[in-house]
Amino acid sequence: MLIFTIWPLFALICLGFVMARAGFPSPGFWPAAERLNYFVLFPALLFSSLANAPVHDPEVLRLGGAAVAILLIASLALMIARRLRPTPAARFGPAVQGMIRFNTYLAFAVIGSIAGSGGMALAAVYVAVAVPVVNILAIVALTEKSAGRHALVLLKSILRNPLILACLAGLAVALGGLGLPFGTGAFLSLLAQGSLPLGLLCVGAALQPAQMRRDVAALGTIAGLRLLGMPVLAAAVALALGLDGAAALVLVVFSAVPTAPTSYVLTRQLGGDGPFMAGIITSQTLASVLTLPLVLELLG
């Protein structure tokens, strides 16, 4: 059963939560671990996956187009809902991030467990396309009249984003057909092996269950739309564009995993409702223990 493939991933998240609450190895360990993963280990995984990706395959282009379409459709639906029920940017921004952002570590771990290295390469393509889009949409949602000014700041930060830089470098290698000579591939593979376990432990360490006590109805609505509605949208877009196999799986998984823990950082930086965002992250992560296997059984 699929649950036997996925449960070890959630066990790592639970272990990270228990370790952090127990103060092990130390409170300062987790921020350092997140930085190591964000700047070194996960970029190595993205680069090595993209360097071997079949970027000349027309299906890869359709995958990128499908990723953008899913994100724009979901964002447009939220904007229409905001017109009907006005919401301040401080709360609208977290809601948007709760819908369109994704826990990259969990998505990669699930796809790697089910689809192997071929799926990982397509997942890296998805990240290369989707990460800039979700960041721009999130920054616009979190701001009001100054959205344009903040968007320019965000674009500058995107160009310094280690994940984006790793994706661009990996795509350049793949398009040039250069390969990874002199043992570089083995070196990057060793770095990449530590990324997903460490990332899932950090996800667990960052959970804040206390924040789930407020805005219960809003948290439940956003979680339902994200964890159940978005995968259905992804499956519909995949069907419309003729995607199947690993490409369709990538779309569904990235749409079915909970939102990214880094959403909290961006929300705080731009004056959004931090506790609300923390509640969204925690509620979705906990609920996905049940919804992710269900969605993959029905749509995967």
Side-chain angles (χ1 to χ4, degrees):
M1 292 178 62
L2 191 60
I3 188 64
F4 296 130
T5 302
I6 295 177
W7 82 258
L9 309 179
F10 286 104
L12 279 172
I13 294 175
C14 293
L15 179 60
F17 176 79
V18 172
M19 290 172 62
R21 294 309 176 275
F24 179 84
S26 70
F29 169 81
W30 298 105
E34 289 177 359
R35 287 180 58 81
L36 174 64
N37 211 3
Y38 184 72
F39 286 99
V40 180
L41 302 184
F42 197 61
L45 174 61
L46 289 175
F47 177 82
S48 58
S49 298
L50 276 171
N52 298 309
V55 291
H56 298 288
D57 188 340
E59 189 172 61
V60 171
L61 294 177
R62 293 204 302 274
L63 172 64
V68 174
I70 293 167
L71 297 172
L72 293 181
I73 291 171
S75 299
L76 179 60
L78 289 174
M79 291 174 62
I80 293 173
R82 190 187 189 191
R83 289 272 184 157
L84 300 175
R85 185 176 181 180
T87 306
R91 285 181 64 86
F92 182 66
V96 169
Q97 292 192 90
M99 282 288 289
I100 66 172
R101 298 192 74 155
F102 44 84
N103 189 318
T104 316
Y105 301 131
L106 183 56
F108 261 79
V110 172
I111 292 167
S113 299
I114 298 174
S117 59
M120 295 279 275
L122 292 176
V125 171
Y126 185 99
V127 170
V129 173
V131 166
V133 176
V134 298
N135 276 278
I136 291 173
L137 291 173
I139 197 73
V140 172
L142 277 163
T143 55
E144 297 285 3
K145 296 180 180 180
S146 58
R149 176 173 59 85
H150 283 299
L152 292 176
V153 174
L154 178 66
L155 287 175
K156 293 179 181 178
S157 69
I158 285 176
L159 295 178
R160 297 193 297 266
N161 187 311
L163 306 188
I164 299 300
L165 295 177
C167 287
L168 292 176
L171 286 173
V173 171
L175 290 171
L178 303 176
L180 298 174
F182 311 117
T184 307
F187 168 70
L188 292 172
S189 178
L190 288 173
L191 286 175
Q193 287 174 16
S195 176
L196 297 180
L198 183 61
L200 293 176
L201 288 172
C202 290
V203 168
L207 294 180
Q208 302 181 40
Q211 300 299 339
M212 294 174 56
R213 298 171 185 167
R214 61 194 299 267
D215 301 307
V216 175
L219 294 179
T221 300
I222 295 171
L225 291 173
R226 169 64 200 177
L227 301 176
L228 299 175
M230 286 291 285
V232 172
L233 173 61
V237 171
L239 183 63
L241 294 180
L243 292 170
D244 56 15
L249 175 69
V250 167
L251 287 179
V252 170
V253 169
F254 271 99
S255 300
V257 296
T259 190
T262 51
S263 303
Y264 179 78
V265 177
L266 183 61
T267 299
R268 291 294 299 271
Q269 286 177 343
L270 295 180
D273 190 335
F276 184 44
M277 189 73 250
I280 291 173
I281 295 167
T282 302
S283 60
Q284 289 188 11
T285 303
L286 296 178
S288 65
V289 175
L290 299 176
T291 61
L292 186 55
L294 175 63
V295 165
L296 293 180
E297 286 287 355
L298 295 177
L299 300 178

